[in-house]
Amino acid sequence: MKLLTLNFLTCAVKTCKTQAASFPLHPKDSELEILETDMNLPFLRNILPRLMWEELRTICKELGLPDLPPSPPTPADLIEGPEPAPDAASETELVPSQTARDLHRVLLETCIQEGKLVCGCCGHEYAVKEGVANFLLPGHLV
Ligand SMILES: [Zn+2]
């Protein structure tokens, strides 16, 4: 699973839903793999405002990845040169900056293949196998 996915996951246990500590889930015993994919710059620029940056930094630290900058980049930081005028041709002609390439690598190419995701609230461990997290809960937790 891509690290970007962790940005949108919380613990599935009902009593955790409203607890701040249930997000983000904390990777544990993770085996990472880099799966290269084409950069989609408009997509990256679109999701930027929805990234929980502080939590993403925490996850990177927990995985032993290089530190992300303390504050999130802006959409303008993701392209080389000035922001095009709104009526300019499509965004696909934009040139990604190094910041964009770094972010693409972390969010979309760095994948947890095996390991666990641990809820900071209840401590439940979700297994990740072959890149897929299992969010089915045992009956007593549903
Ligand atoms: Zn939980």
Side-chain angles (χ1 to χ4, degrees):
M1 64 189 300
K2 301 174 195 302
L3 294 197
L4 176 61
T5 314
L6 283 178
N7 191 67
F8 302 106
L9 290 178
T10 59
C11 182
V13 175
K14 210 188 299 172
T15 49
C16 286
K17 293 275 186 199
T18 54
Q19 303 294 321
S22 68
F23 178 84
L25 297 173
H26 302 280
K28 188 180 157 191
D29 305 331
S30 307
E31 284 175 33
L32 297 180
E33 197 168 326
I34 299 291
L35 299 174
E36 296 199 351
T37 75
D38 288 338
M39 158 131 28
N40 181 335
L41 194 53
F43 171 75
L44 206 55
R45 278 155 55 89
N46 274 330
I47 58 164
L48 200 53
R50 295 167 63 202
L51 292 179
M52 307 297 279
W53 192 255
E54 217 25 70
E55 289 78 1
L56 185 62
R57 293 186 76 217
T58 303
I59 290 167
C60 285
K61 268 202 195 82
E62 290 172 349
L63 289 170
L65 296 170
D67 274 347
L68 293 172
S71 49
T74 65
D77 291 335
L78 298 187
I79 54 172
E80 295 288 0
E83 191 78 27
D87 57 353
S90 105
E91 285 205 49
T92 52
E93 290 165 39
L94 296 175
V95 178
S97 65
Q98 185 60 48
T99 304
R101 283 195 289 267
D102 291 346
L103 202 57
H104 175 74
R105 171 57 58 122
V106 169
L107 291 175
L108 296 154
E109 294 188 327
T110 306
C111 299
I112 301 178
Q113 288 301 99
E114 302 288 332
K116 292 172 188 136
L117 300 174
V118 185
C119 173
C121 185
C122 70
H124 189 74
E125 298 185 345
Y126 297 91
V128 181
K129 289 206 171 82
E130 294 176 11
V132 178
N134 180 357
F135 277 90
L136 293 178
L137 292 169
H140 68 279
L141 289 174
V142 177

PDB file of all heavy atoms in Angstrom, residues 7-29:
ATOM      1  N   ASN A   7      -2.712   8.462   4.753  1.00  0.00           N
ATOM      2  CA  ASN A   7      -3.243   9.793   5.006  1.00  0.00           C
ATOM      3  C   ASN A   7      -4.768   9.785   5.159  1.00  0.00           C
ATOM      4  O   ASN A   7      -5.343  10.728   5.679  1.00  0.00           O
ATOM      5  CB  ASN A   7      -2.848  10.725   3.851  1.00  0.00           C
ATOM      6  CG  ASN A   7      -3.131  12.182   4.136  1.00  0.00           C
ATOM      7  OD1 ASN A   7      -2.505  12.768   5.002  1.00  0.00           O
ATOM      8  ND2 ASN A   7      -4.081  12.767   3.428  1.00  0.00           N
ATOM      9  N   PHE A   8      -5.380   8.703   4.671  1.00  0.00           N
ATOM     10  CA  PHE A   8      -6.838   8.647   4.674  1.00  0.00           C
ATOM     11  C   PHE A   8      -7.389   7.518   5.538  1.00  0.00           C
ATOM     12  O   PHE A   8      -8.568   7.207   5.474  1.00  0.00           O
ATOM     13  CB  PHE A   8      -7.356   8.484   3.234  1.00  0.00           C
ATOM     14  CG  PHE A   8      -6.914   9.597   2.334  1.00  0.00           C
ATOM     15  CD1 PHE A   8      -5.929   9.398   1.374  1.00  0.00           C
ATOM     16  CD2 PHE A   8      -7.447  10.874   2.473  1.00  0.00           C
ATOM     17  CE1 PHE A   8      -5.511  10.431   0.554  1.00  0.00           C
ATOM     18  CE2 PHE A   8      -7.029  11.918   1.656  1.00  0.00           C
ATOM     19  CZ  PHE A   8      -6.058  11.699   0.694  1.00  0.00           C
ATOM     20  N   LEU A   9      -6.547   6.888   6.337  1.00  0.00           N
ATOM     21  CA  LEU A   9      -6.987   5.744   7.127  1.00  0.00           C
ATOM     22  C   LEU A   9      -7.001   6.062   8.615  1.00  0.00           C
ATOM     23  O   LEU A   9      -6.074   6.663   9.144  1.00  0.00           O
ATOM     24  CB  LEU A   9      -6.027   4.562   6.932  1.00  0.00           C
ATOM     25  CG  LEU A   9      -6.034   3.859   5.577  1.00  0.00           C
ATOM     26  CD1 LEU A   9      -4.987   2.756   5.594  1.00  0.00           C
ATOM     27  CD2 LEU A   9      -7.401   3.303   5.260  1.00  0.00           C
ATOM     28  N   THR A  10      -8.076   5.627   9.267  1.00  0.00           N
ATOM     29  CA  THR A  10      -8.080   5.647  10.727  1.00  0.00           C
ATOM     30  C   THR A  10      -8.476   4.253  11.196  1.00  0.00           C
ATOM     31  O   THR A  10      -8.888   3.420  10.405  1.00  0.00           O
ATOM     32  CB  THR A  10      -9.085   6.664  11.313  1.00  0.00           C
ATOM     33  OG1 THR A  10     -10.380   6.325  10.838  1.00  0.00           O
ATOM     34  CG2 THR A  10      -8.745   8.077  10.900  1.00  0.00           C
ATOM     35  N   CYS A  11      -8.366   4.057  12.484  1.00  0.00           N
ATOM     36  CA  CYS A  11      -8.737   2.782  13.063  1.00  0.00           C
ATOM     37  C   CYS A  11     -10.220   2.500  12.807  1.00  0.00           C
ATOM     38  O   CYS A  11     -11.049   3.401  12.843  1.00  0.00           O
ATOM     39  CB  CYS A  11      -8.453   2.812  14.568  1.00  0.00           C
ATOM     40  SG  CYS A  11      -8.829   1.264  15.386  1.00  0.00           S
ATOM     41  N   ALA A  12     -10.542   1.237  12.541  1.00  0.00           N
ATOM     42  CA  ALA A  12     -11.925   0.855  12.232  1.00  0.00           C
ATOM     43  C   ALA A  12     -12.751   0.556  13.485  1.00  0.00           C
ATOM     44  O   ALA A  12     -13.956   0.350  13.398  1.00  0.00           O
ATOM     45  CB  ALA A  12     -11.935  -0.364  11.308  1.00  0.00           C
ATOM     46  N   VAL A  13     -12.113   0.529  14.631  1.00  0.00           N
ATOM     47  CA  VAL A  13     -12.840   0.255  15.876  1.00  0.00           C
ATOM     48  C   VAL A  13     -13.745   1.452  16.190  1.00  0.00           C
ATOM     49  O   VAL A  13     -13.309   2.599  16.143  1.00  0.00           O
ATOM     50  CB  VAL A  13     -11.855   0.015  17.042  1.00  0.00           C
ATOM     51  CG1 VAL A  13     -12.609  -0.143  18.360  1.00  0.00           C
ATOM     52  CG2 VAL A  13     -11.002  -1.209  16.767  1.00  0.00           C
ATOM     53  N   LYS A  14     -15.014   1.155  16.485  1.00  0.00           N
ATOM     54  CA  LYS A  14     -16.011   2.214  16.609  1.00  0.00           C
ATOM     55  C   LYS A  14     -15.613   3.273  17.635  1.00  0.00           C
ATOM     56  O   LYS A  14     -15.713   4.469  17.394  1.00  0.00           O
ATOM     57  CB  LYS A  14     -17.361   1.586  17.000  1.00  0.00           C
ATOM     58  CG  LYS A  14     -18.549   2.383  16.466  1.00  0.00           C
ATOM     59  CD  LYS A  14     -19.880   1.900  17.004  1.00  0.00           C
ATOM     60  CE  LYS A  14     -20.162   0.461  16.622  1.00  0.00           C
ATOM     61  NZ  LYS A  14     -21.371  -0.073  17.297  1.00  0.00           N
ATOM     62  N   THR A  15     -15.154   2.835  18.795  1.00  0.00           N
ATOM     63  CA  THR A  15     -14.833   3.785  19.859  1.00  0.00           C
ATOM     64  C   THR A  15     -13.587   4.607  19.554  1.00  0.00           C
ATOM     65  O   THR A  15     -13.290   5.569  20.245  1.00  0.00           O
ATOM     66  CB  THR A  15     -14.624   3.051  21.198  1.00  0.00           C
ATOM     67  OG1 THR A  15     -13.723   1.957  20.961  1.00  0.00           O
ATOM     68  CG2 THR A  15     -15.939   2.527  21.733  1.00  0.00           C
ATOM     69  N   CYS A  16     -12.829   4.224  18.514  1.00  0.00           N
ATOM     70  CA  CYS A  16     -11.629   4.982  18.150  1.00  0.00           C
ATOM     71  C   CYS A  16     -11.931   6.114  17.186  1.00  0.00           C
ATOM     72  O   CYS A  16     -11.157   7.052  17.070  1.00  0.00           O
ATOM     73  CB  CYS A  16     -10.587   4.066  17.500  1.00  0.00           C
ATOM     74  SG  CYS A  16      -9.757   2.995  18.686  1.00  0.00           S
ATOM     75  N   LYS A  17     -13.062   6.007  16.498  1.00  0.00           N
ATOM     76  CA  LYS A  17     -13.357   6.939  15.406  1.00  0.00           C
ATOM     77  C   LYS A  17     -13.229   8.400  15.823  1.00  0.00           C
ATOM     78  O   LYS A  17     -12.794   9.231  15.038  1.00  0.00           O
ATOM     79  CB  LYS A  17     -14.785   6.696  14.881  1.00  0.00           C
ATOM     80  CG  LYS A  17     -14.947   5.357  14.202  1.00  0.00           C
ATOM     81  CD  LYS A  17     -14.532   5.420  12.741  1.00  0.00           C
ATOM     82  CE  LYS A  17     -14.837   4.097  12.058  1.00  0.00           C
ATOM     83  NZ  LYS A  17     -14.088   3.928  10.815  1.00  0.00           N
ATOM     84  N   THR A  18     -13.659   8.687  17.043  1.00  0.00           N
ATOM     85  CA  THR A  18     -13.675  10.082  17.466  1.00  0.00           C
ATOM     86  C   THR A  18     -12.409  10.477  18.225  1.00  0.00           C
ATOM     87  O   THR A  18     -12.292  11.599  18.689  1.00  0.00           O
ATOM     88  CB  THR A  18     -14.893  10.354  18.381  1.00  0.00           C
ATOM     89  OG1 THR A  18     -14.856   9.401  19.447  1.00  0.00           O
ATOM     90  CG2 THR A  18     -16.194  10.194  17.613  1.00  0.00           C
ATOM     91  N   GLN A  19     -11.474   9.535  18.350  1.00  0.00           N
ATOM     92  CA  GLN A  19     -10.263   9.803  19.127  1.00  0.00           C
ATOM     93  C   GLN A  19      -9.128  10.271  18.213  1.00  0.00           C
ATOM     94  O   GLN A  19      -8.825   9.616  17.220  1.00  0.00           O
ATOM     95  CB  GLN A  19      -9.805   8.534  19.858  1.00  0.00           C
ATOM     96  CG  GLN A  19     -10.846   7.937  20.776  1.00  0.00           C
ATOM     97  CD  GLN A  19     -11.162   8.831  21.954  1.00  0.00           C
ATOM     98  OE1 GLN A  19     -10.276   9.461  22.517  1.00  0.00           O
ATOM     99  NE2 GLN A  19     -12.436   8.913  22.311  1.00  0.00           N
ATOM    100  N   ALA A  20      -8.512  11.370  18.580  1.00  0.00           N
ATOM    101  CA  ALA A  20      -7.426  11.900  17.764  1.00  0.00           C
ATOM    102  C   ALA A  20      -6.285  10.896  17.627  1.00  0.00           C
ATOM    103  O   ALA A  20      -5.618  10.842  16.590  1.00  0.00           O
ATOM    104  CB  ALA A  20      -6.911  13.198  18.375  1.00  0.00           C
ATOM    105  N   ALA A  21      -6.066  10.090  18.649  1.00  0.00           N
ATOM    106  CA  ALA A  21      -4.928   9.170  18.642  1.00  0.00           C
ATOM    107  C   ALA A  21      -5.098   8.022  17.649  1.00  0.00           C
ATOM    108  O   ALA A  21      -4.155   7.280  17.396  1.00  0.00           O
ATOM    109  CB  ALA A  21      -4.703   8.601  20.048  1.00  0.00           C
ATOM    110  N   SER A  22      -6.287   7.882  17.058  1.00  0.00           N
ATOM    111  CA  SER A  22      -6.489   6.791  16.096  1.00  0.00           C
ATOM    112  C   SER A  22      -5.970   7.158  14.707  1.00  0.00           C
ATOM    113  O   SER A  22      -6.037   6.363  13.788  1.00  0.00           O
ATOM    114  CB  SER A  22      -7.966   6.404  16.017  1.00  0.00           C
ATOM    115  OG  SER A  22      -8.707   7.449  15.424  1.00  0.00           O
ATOM    116  N   PHE A  23      -5.466   8.382  14.555  1.00  0.00           N
ATOM    117  CA  PHE A  23      -4.890   8.816  13.286  1.00  0.00           C
ATOM    118  C   PHE A  23      -3.579   9.547  13.552  1.00  0.00           C
ATOM    119  O   PHE A  23      -3.529  10.378  14.448  1.00  0.00           O
ATOM    120  CB  PHE A  23      -5.858   9.745  12.546  1.00  0.00           C
ATOM    121  CG  PHE A  23      -5.282  10.263  11.255  1.00  0.00           C
ATOM    122  CD1 PHE A  23      -5.372   9.506  10.098  1.00  0.00           C
ATOM    123  CD2 PHE A  23      -4.623  11.488  11.213  1.00  0.00           C
ATOM    124  CE1 PHE A  23      -4.831   9.974   8.915  1.00  0.00           C
ATOM    125  CE2 PHE A  23      -4.077  11.949  10.027  1.00  0.00           C
ATOM    126  CZ  PHE A  23      -4.181  11.197   8.877  1.00  0.00           C
ATOM    127  N   PRO A  24      -2.526   9.294  12.791  1.00  0.00           N
ATOM    128  CA  PRO A  24      -2.474   8.236  11.779  1.00  0.00           C
ATOM    129  C   PRO A  24      -2.221   6.875  12.422  1.00  0.00           C
ATOM    130  O   PRO A  24      -1.832   6.794  13.578  1.00  0.00           O
ATOM    131  CB  PRO A  24      -1.254   8.652  10.949  1.00  0.00           C
ATOM    132  CG  PRO A  24      -0.346   9.310  11.952  1.00  0.00           C
ATOM    133  CD  PRO A  24      -1.255   9.998  12.928  1.00  0.00           C
ATOM    134  N   LEU A  25      -2.449   5.826  11.649  1.00  0.00           N
ATOM    135  CA  LEU A  25      -2.043   4.495  12.081  1.00  0.00           C
ATOM    136  C   LEU A  25      -0.523   4.420  11.957  1.00  0.00           C
ATOM    137  O   LEU A  25       0.060   4.969  11.034  1.00  0.00           O
ATOM    138  CB  LEU A  25      -2.712   3.430  11.213  1.00  0.00           C
ATOM    139  CG  LEU A  25      -4.243   3.394  11.314  1.00  0.00           C
ATOM    140  CD1 LEU A  25      -4.814   2.427  10.291  1.00  0.00           C
ATOM    141  CD2 LEU A  25      -4.696   3.027  12.726  1.00  0.00           C
ATOM    142  N   HIS A  26       0.089   3.747  12.906  1.00  0.00           N
ATOM    143  CA  HIS A  26       1.551   3.727  12.952  1.00  0.00           C
ATOM    144  C   HIS A  26       2.111   2.444  12.352  1.00  0.00           C
ATOM    145  O   HIS A  26       1.786   1.357  12.821  1.00  0.00           O
ATOM    146  CB  HIS A  26       2.020   3.882  14.402  1.00  0.00           C
ATOM    147  CG  HIS A  26       1.519   5.144  15.024  1.00  0.00           C
ATOM    148  ND1 HIS A  26       2.108   6.369  14.802  1.00  0.00           N
ATOM    149  CD2 HIS A  26       0.463   5.384  15.815  1.00  0.00           C
ATOM    150  CE1 HIS A  26       1.429   7.302  15.448  1.00  0.00           C
ATOM    151  NE2 HIS A  26       0.423   6.733  16.069  1.00  0.00           N
ATOM    152  N   PRO A  27       2.932   2.588  11.313  1.00  0.00           N
ATOM    153  CA  PRO A  27       3.533   1.399  10.706  1.00  0.00           C
ATOM    154  C   PRO A  27       4.505   0.730  11.668  1.00  0.00           C
ATOM    155  O   PRO A  27       5.194   1.402  12.438  1.00  0.00           O
ATOM    156  CB  PRO A  27       4.265   1.941   9.478  1.00  0.00           C
ATOM    157  CG  PRO A  27       4.395   3.410   9.685  1.00  0.00           C
ATOM    158  CD  PRO A  27       3.336   3.830  10.646  1.00  0.00           C
ATOM    159  N   LYS A  28       4.512  -0.592  11.657  1.00  0.00           N
ATOM    160  CA  LYS A  28       5.384  -1.360  12.545  1.00  0.00           C
ATOM    161  C   LYS A  28       5.929  -2.561  11.772  1.00  0.00           C
ATOM    162  O   LYS A  28       5.196  -3.157  10.976  1.00  0.00           O
ATOM    163  CB  LYS A  28       4.552  -1.830  13.746  1.00  0.00           C
ATOM    164  CG  LYS A  28       5.340  -2.487  14.856  1.00  0.00           C
ATOM    165  CD  LYS A  28       4.372  -2.886  15.970  1.00  0.00           C
ATOM    166  CE  LYS A  28       4.959  -3.994  16.799  1.00  0.00           C
ATOM    167  NZ  LYS A  28       3.954  -4.569  17.706  1.00  0.00           N
ATOM    168  N   ASP A  29       7.183  -2.895  12.004  1.00  0.00           N
ATOM    169  CA  ASP A  29       7.818  -4.050  11.337  1.00  0.00           C
ATOM    170  C   ASP A  29       7.593  -4.025   9.826  1.00  0.00           C
ATOM    171  O   ASP A  29       7.284  -5.045   9.219  1.00  0.00           O
ATOM    172  CB  ASP A  29       7.266  -5.381  11.882  1.00  0.00           C
ATOM    173  CG  ASP A  29       7.407  -5.485  13.394  1.00  0.00           C
ATOM    174  OD1 ASP A  29       8.348  -4.872  13.922  1.00  0.00           O
ATOM    175  OD2 ASP A  29       6.578  -6.159  14.025  1.00  0.00           O
TER     176      ASP A  29
END
